Amino acid sequence: MKLISVKNLTVARGGMPVLEGLNFDVSTGEILVLRGPNGVGKTTLLRTLAGLQPPYEGTVDAAPDTVAYAAHADGLKSTLTVRENLMFWAGVYGGRDIEPALRDFNLDSLSERPAGNLSAGQKRRLGLARLMVTHRPVWVLDEPTVSLDVASVALFAAAVKAHLASGGAAIIATHIQLGFEETVFDVTPYKARMDVVRDDFDEAFL
């Protein structure tokens, strides 16, 4: 079953197209890995897929409340504990059970520690654990393994595999090999001609 479908998509940064003519579908149990050099537009594409900015042209079709997005910022409240952070996000998305997220990202022993006192890698694990409490089928991830050590990368990979096995899907921008059976989509050939700016385009509408 298709979870997200992209048709003739052009995405823009600062009102200037950066990627154009994108077409792809992601279905249940699939993972799409985006590749391309830094600055080519992968983050802009992911933000558009997540609904944080509108397409410049074309469409992104997905059912409401389909996409959960994790970017470079971990989205944590530093004064709340690990447990409280997950409970907050679970409440936002209408969930209650945070125990699987604590377990799968090895956060049980840190559950009562304020997020502001975590290491960079621990904060990253907590930020990624938020995905599990959203209960949304499509995970859209921008360089999710930044700050993670080898063991934590393995935890993340296992969580993604379990998500896929339960009927979810993932779209990930990453330069490292995660050991998935994945479809790799190099966006480099879709780099746009940056010679047209549309005055009415507002990428920061949300």
Side-chain angles (χ1 to χ4, degrees):
M1 182 180 69
K2 291 181 183 178
L3 294 175
I4 190 166
S5 183
V6 169
K7 302 295 184 186
N8 300 314
L9 181 66
T10 297
V11 299
R13 182 171 57 235
M16 188 78 74
V18 290
L19 295 172
E20 62 184 0
L22 297 161
N23 292 277
F24 59 82
D25 300 320
V26 181
S27 300
T28 299
E30 291 185 346
I31 179 167
L32 183 72
V33 172
L34 303 180
R35 294 277 165 77
N38 290 335
V40 75
K42 298 187 300 295
T43 293
T44 303
L45 172 57
L46 294 175
R47 285 177 52 81
T48 304
L49 297 178
L52 299 179
Q53 64 181 64
Y56 188 88
E57 291 180 349
T59 60
V60 177
D61 292 323
D65 300 328
T66 293
V67 176
Y69 178 58
H72 299 283
D74 293 317
L76 307 178
K77 296 182 178 295
S78 61
T79 59
L80 297 184
T81 66
V82 167
R83 179 178 295 277
E84 288 168 340
N85 266 280
L86 288 179
M87 289 178 65
F88 170 81
W89 284 109
V92 167
Y93 289 99
R96 294 182 179 180
D97 186 9
I98 66 167
E99 298 306 320
L102 287 171
R103 180 189 65 243
D104 290 357
F105 282 90
N106 196 23
L107 294 168
D108 298 86
S109 63
L110 302 172
S111 63
E112 304 308 319
R113 183 178 299 183
N117 294 343
L118 300 176
S119 69
Q122 290 166 344
K123 288 178 180 177
R124 193 60 167 167
R125 295 206 321 266
L126 177 55
L128 293 171
R130 289 187 303 120
L131 295 166
M132 293 185 62
V133 303
T134 68
H135 300 292
R136 293 192 170 184
V138 180
W139 291 358
V140 172
L141 309 173
D142 195 357
E143 298 293 347
T145 59
V146 171
S147 301
L148 295 183
D149 58 20
V150 173
S152 296
V153 169
L155 290 176
F156 165 71
V160 173
K161 288 179 180 177
H163 178 64
L164 300 179
S166 67
I171 303 171
I172 304 177
T174 182
H175 294 287
I176 72 169
Q177 299 293 331
L178 294 170
F180 300 127
E181 293 183 7
E182 62 204 30
T183 299
V184 175
F185 184 31
D186 186 350
V187 301
T188 307
Y190 300 90
K191 187 174 181 180
R193 294 180 297 106
M194 299 179 69
D195 56 1
V196 178
V197 178
R198 201 172 77 196
D199 292 337
D200 64 344
F201 178 71
D202 182 10
E203 65 184 301
F205 79 117
L206 289 178

